[in-house]
Amino acid sequence: MSGAMTIAEGDLRFKVDVSVVFGGGAAAKKYVLRTTLDSIGVWKAKYVKVNTSPFQGRVKTTLKDAAIIDKEVWVFNVDATRSVDVVAAIEIAMKVYQVPAADIIRDIYVKNLNIESENLMESQAKVRANKALYKNTCNAIREAAEKLGVRGEINLWVFSSNVNPKIPQQDLHQSLNEGGARSVATDELQYKIWSGSNDGERAERFKTNLHLAKFTL
């Protein structure tokens, strides 16, 4: 069993399933790092109230709030388009689990990554913004891996419907390729997942697709 990392987590009840692989299979993960763009205060106010044991993880000059929740490491205020944030989160998890960076970053999962101000945009502007978001996230992941001395293959697993109006399959794949992926594929199966709104007010279960972008360093 290895580890995994997630990007842009929201409601604890609907966290990303990091065991999923193509073909409907499952691969157990021993070390899990979950990151969220929200600060710990905003996250706790928006979503389900949980008992946490927050601590501050200092990595060089970067200070991040973190917590152990259900035996997993959560790091808050992580902007996945900034490699310095990605590095800081991984280094905190490395200290907690006492494992090398590669054990955390080999498999990265994200569910419906969307620009924060999307509700204020018209449809095509929204697609362009989300394409840039995925591309910049890919670049940050590759830069973070290089800074951490990780070599070899990194898998980015993306839950996103092929007909997602915010970023259809073709646009998603283009953005992943522009972000440095050497290959991008979509599973033939569809998956049923729960997803909560960014404000924590709504949740729904729907069918979606699973995509895999592979990066080689």
Side-chain angles (χ1 to χ4, degrees):
M1 290 188 293
S2 59
M5 174 181 178
T6 67
I7 292 171
E9 287 280 13
D11 197 319
L12 178 66
R13 296 170 298 175
F14 312 122
K15 61 186 181 182
V16 183
D17 185 350
V18 298
S19 69
V20 177
V21 294
F22 273 10
K29 301 298 193 299
K30 187 175 182 180
Y31 316 106
V32 180
L33 164 64
R34 298 188 184 274
T35 68
T36 176
L37 182 62
D38 291 326
S39 67
I40 190 169
V42 169
W43 182 81
K44 291 178 73 173
K46 281 170 36 175
Y47 303 117
V48 176
K49 307 301 185 294
V50 294
N51 292 323
T52 61
S53 299
F55 62 91
Q56 289 187 318
R58 181 177 291 279
V59 183
K60 298 183 176 65
T61 60
T62 303
L63 185 65
K64 295 290 184 185
D65 285 317
I68 306 298
I69 305 174
D70 296 336
K71 299 181 180 180
E72 297 176 337
V73 176
W74 285 67
V75 181
F76 301 87
N77 198 28
V78 175
D79 182 346
T81 66
R82 301 179 69 244
S83 62
V84 63
D85 279 12
V86 178
V87 168
I90 292 171
E91 289 189 335
I92 290 170
M94 289 167 62
K95 289 181 179 179
V96 173
Y97 291 124
Q98 292 295 294
V99 296
D103 283 10
I104 303 296
I105 200 174
R106 289 293 183 202
D107 287 290
I108 302 174
Y109 286 76
V110 63
K111 179 172 58 178
N112 295 324
L113 188 61
N114 297 311
I115 201 76
E116 283 291 293
S117 56
E118 62 176 18
N119 291 333
L120 303 177
M121 298 180 179
E122 54 90 15
S123 58
Q124 286 306 307
K126 190 181 301 183
V127 171
R128 290 192 297 270
N130 283 326
K131 287 178 68 175
L133 178 59
Y134 273 100
K135 177 182 176 180
N136 293 337
T137 297
C138 291
N139 287 333
I141 289 169
R142 291 189 296 103
E143 290 171 10
E146 291 172 358
K147 291 177 181 178
L148 292 164
V150 176
R151 295 292 180 267
E153 191 169 89
I154 292 177
N155 298 316
L156 176 60
W157 303 85
V158 180
F159 286 101
S160 179
S161 172
N162 286 343
V163 293
N164 182 355
K166 299 175 183 179
I167 182 165
Q169 181 192 36
Q170 182 177 351
D171 294 289
L172 173 63
H173 285 206
Q174 181 181 1
S175 65
L176 296 171
N177 282 317
E178 290 177 353
R182 66 170 175 79
S183 67
V184 183
T186 301
D187 196 353
E188 294 181 356
L189 297 179
Q190 280 193 313
Y191 294 80
K192 286 185 177 181
I193 64 170
W194 280 94
S195 183
S197 60
N198 288 340
D199 59 11
E201 296 295 325
R202 303 175 307 283
E204 61 178 328
R205 191 167 187 245
F206 58 91
K207 288 184 178 180
T208 192
N209 299 94
L210 179 62
H211 313 268
L212 173 59
K214 288 182 173 289
F215 302 85
T216 302
L217 300 174

